[in-house]
Amino acid sequence: TDRKKLHTAPVGQVFRLRPFHVLVATGGGYAGYRKYEDYKLEQLEKRGIEVPVKLASEWEVALYKSVPTRLLSRAWGRLNQVELPTWLRKPVYSLYIWTFGVNMKEAAVEDLHHYRNLSEFFRRKLKPQVRPVCCLHSVISPSDGKILNFGQVKNCEVEQVKGVTYSLESFLGPRISTEEMHFSQAPPGNSFQQQLVTKEGNELYHCVIYLAPGDYHCFHSPTDWTVSHRRHFPGSLMSVNPGVARWIKELFCHNERVVLTGDWKHGFFSLTAVGATNVGSIRIYFDQDLHTNSPSYSKGSYNDFSFISNNKEGIPMRKGEHLGEFNLGSTIVLIFEAPKDFKFNLKAGQKIRFGEALGSL
């Protein structure tokens, strides 16, 4: 009679699962499985074994998109800005350095205690002499990273990795009005690709550079050019590592991205910074109005901003000049017009550093 009564909730109430929890658990588990599959593919590539292309089905893409990567990326961004106690900085940063193979000897400040939070560590600057800018070639790498693909654009399709393509028009969005460009454009009756090529005898080229978490996170101007227009696409924040890029068609069109377009001495030139998981923040130094990974996300929308109407000459950029930064690591896509004798000095899969030549005439 002296025993206390235990009040318990009904079994059905205890084990009640909400749809959101099911989506997060299922999507997160599947994302983990994909990471393991990516690791196996990397091991096969290292052994020189060619990996066949196997694209994700619609339900697999939908399941991956169910993971709240935008919310997680915002949370990760806030966590990165939390100031670490001085005694904790070296152990935390040392673990990151060991995990991702960071070369701190190249950093402008090698002392780990100098970086108050993870965000400052990710955005660390380099010593000027460790990244000399190549003066002999017309186009240099805008960042450190890995070359995923490069070559001519054909049939309005661009390769994100070998054998997996995406639509040029879906990626860049509708054609920008002639008033916002310094040069005349092709008649509207031509294909989207032909409309971007402004000079007879020129071709459209592309290059995709993947920035790993351990890479230098700033990106620079790849050539001398003038930025006329910025287009911001809100979107998903799926991983853009080579394994996922090989698996999801039009991955770069699904993800959030910032497209900078303008012109260089040979015509059309564009640089696109593609966001990814935990990389909700894309910063362009001269564009203070840009705010990426905003909670007010409208699927399928984009925001335009013209630098011609606000600055009559656009934004002139010199080769090697600081342009922007990611918060962790992501992808840079260059799409530009050049004469037919333009040659890339690259191999797919090679590591490249900012300042090294991509190609020249």
Side-chain angles (χ1 to χ4, degrees):
T1 56
D2 295 332
R3 291 178 182 175
K4 294 181 180 180
K5 293 183 179 180
L6 299 176
H7 297 275
T8 58
V11 175
Q13 189 175 353
V14 174
F15 291 98
R16 185 183 299 166
L17 293 174
R18 297 181 181 180
F20 176 76
H21 298 154
V22 174
L23 286 174
V24 172
T26 308
Y30 193 74
Y33 165 74
R34 288 305 314 174
K35 287 285 187 182
Y36 173 67
E37 289 294 311
D38 296 340
Y39 171 76
K40 292 198 299 183
L41 289 176
E42 287 179 6
Q43 297 306 308
L44 290 175
E45 286 182 342
K46 287 180 180 179
R47 286 190 252 166
I49 301 174
E50 187 172 348
V51 181
V53 175
K54 184 181 178 182
L55 294 177
S57 61
E58 291 185 8
W59 72 264
E60 287 178 308
V61 176
L63 185 59
Y64 192 179
K65 282 187 171 183
S66 71
V67 181
T69 51
R70 294 178 62 83
L71 178 62
L72 292 173
S73 296
R74 285 195 292 272
W76 177 253
R78 291 182 180 179
L79 180 64
N80 286 349
Q81 293 173 3
V82 174
E83 185 169 342
L84 297 176
T86 306
W87 62 268
L88 188 58
R89 294 175 189 177
K90 188 171 183 179
V92 170
Y93 301 147
S94 296
L95 177 62
Y96 186 91
I97 291 168
W98 176 78
T99 303
F100 296 109
V102 179
N103 184 2
M104 283 302 294
K105 291 183 179 180
E106 296 180 334
V109 179
E110 296 184 40
D111 182 13
L112 298 181
H113 295 100
H114 169 80
Y115 303 100
R116 294 173 298 176
N117 52 48
L118 283 165
S119 182
E120 286 189 2
F121 179 71
F122 293 149
R123 295 181 287 107
R124 64 193 176 276
K125 304 302 181 184
L126 298 181
K127 296 171 183 174
Q129 65 272 21
V130 300
R131 294 291 188 275
V133 175
C134 178
C135 299
L136 301 177
H137 297 271
S138 54
V139 184
I140 63 168
S141 176
S143 66
D144 289 5
K146 178 181 180 180
I147 301 295
L148 293 190
N149 216 306
F150 62 92
Q152 284 190 18
V153 177
K154 298 180 180 179
N155 302 319
C156 293
E157 292 282 326
V158 186
E159 281 194 318
Q160 58 192 32
V161 294
K162 185 178 180 180
V164 182
T165 62
Y166 55 93
S167 164
L168 179 64
E169 186 169 6
S170 297
F171 182 69
L172 295 178
R175 187 172 70 118
I176 301 166
S177 63
T178 307
E179 290 76 15
E180 296 185 29
M181 308 302 285
H182 286 290
F183 46 84
S184 60
Q185 293 180 309
N190 294 341
S191 69
F192 184 81
Q193 178 178 337
Q194 291 172 327
Q195 291 174 27
L196 297 181
V197 178
T198 64
K199 298 180 180 179
E200 187 176 354
N202 282 2
E203 297 287 348
L204 206 61
Y205 297 86
H206 73 98
C207 183
V208 184
I209 305 170
Y210 167 67
L211 288 76
D215 287 327
Y216 168 56
H217 298 298
C218 296
F219 51 93
H220 301 246
S221 176
T223 191
D224 295 332
W225 65 307
T226 300
V227 182
S228 305
H229 187 272
R230 179 259 291 162
R231 177 168 286 162
H232 171 219
F233 290 85
S236 301
L237 287 173
M238 295 184 282
S239 171
V240 292
N241 74 54
V244 177
R246 187 183 294 108
W247 179 54
I248 297 181
K249 183 178 174 63
E250 298 204 331
L251 171 65
F252 299 156
C253 297
H254 289 296
N255 273 15
E256 182 157 13
R257 59 198 182 278
V258 177
V259 182
L260 300 178
T261 54
D263 63 288
W264 69 318
K265 60 183 178 181
H266 298 296
F268 174 80
F269 198 97
S270 73
L271 180 148
T272 301
V274 183
T277 308
N278 294 336
V279 195
S281 176
I282 301 171
R283 183 182 174 194
I284 304 297
Y285 295 138
F286 59 74
D287 189 354
Q288 301 302 317
D289 296 322
L290 175 66
H291 300 286
T292 57
N293 196 13
S294 170
S296 55
Y297 163 50
S298 300
K299 186 177 181 180
S301 66
Y302 60 85
N303 307 303
D304 282 344
F305 186 86
S306 173
F307 298 108
I308 295 295
S309 58
N310 292 276
N311 182 336
K312 295 299 182 181
E313 299 300 322
I315 308 295
M317 298 297 300
R318 302 279 71 83
K319 184 168 62 174
E321 186 178 351
H322 278 85
L323 181 54
E325 64 187 35
F326 292 110
N327 247 3
L328 189 59
S330 194
T331 298
I332 295 285
V333 179
L334 301 179
I335 298 175
F336 57 93
E337 173 186 0
K340 291 183 178 180
D341 56 351
F342 180 86
K343 300 293 182 183
F344 283 104
N345 305 318
L346 303 171
K347 292 181 180 179
Q350 79 171 71
K351 291 287 291 182
I352 197 164
R353 304 201 303 177
F354 155 61
E356 295 178 345
L358 291 182
S360 191
L361 298 170

